[in-house]
Amino acid sequence: MRARIEEIVFDCAGPARLARFWAALLGGEPVDRTPDWSYVDPPGFARIAFQLVPEGKAAKNRLHLDLDAGDVEEATAEAVRLGAVPVGGVVNDSYGRFQVLQDPEGNEFCFVGS
């Protein structure tokens, strides 16, 4: 049996806030299913959900999203305008060009240049 990704769920302190951030970044409309659960259905991507958890983030993510940005600098500037924080500078290495960022709750993601 093969499964497919239905949604990617982030534990967080502010589900509605993160749904709005990610909707602005990726497209789609944020949906508040309950006060403890929000999500966004970005076009061409699995649903991203945000679940309220009582404990705060204590360590680096074990999973992050790599997003094809085309123009890494332009995508980074827009993400920062929406509330993201860059982690270091743009990296150019044998794997390509990318920028690590954190969303408003510190969840890491990367913009990858095409």
Side-chain angles (χ1 to χ4, degrees):
M1 176 177 112
R2 289 194 176 212
R4 67 178 186 85
I5 294 175
E6 175 68 21
E7 63 189 4
I8 298 165
V9 181
F10 288 87
D11 293 344
C12 65
R17 176 179 172 217
L18 281 188
R20 279 148 188 69
F21 168 82
W22 284 96
L25 191 68
L26 299 176
E29 293 296 319
V31 176
D32 299 327
R33 193 169 78 187
T34 71
D36 297 345
W37 189 275
S38 297
Y39 66 88
V40 62
D41 273 318
F45 198 78
R47 180 183 310 135
I48 302 175
F50 308 94
Q51 177 179 5
L52 181 69
V53 295
E55 64 277 352
K57 183 178 173 187
K60 184 179 182 321
N61 295 37
R62 299 288 303 243
L63 172 80
H64 70 266
L65 303 177
D66 282 353
L67 307 171
D68 181 0
D71 185 324
V72 173
E73 286 83 2
E74 183 179 316
T76 298
E78 177 63 11
V80 167
R81 187 185 70 73
L82 295 170
V85 176
V87 177
V90 174
V91 175
N92 285 296
D93 65 13
S94 61
Y95 296 106
R97 182 174 175 77
F98 65 93
Q99 170 70 58
V100 179
L101 298 103
Q102 292 179 338
D103 74 10
E105 287 202 17
N107 300 301
E108 290 183 354
F109 64 99
C110 293
F111 283 133
V112 178
S114 53

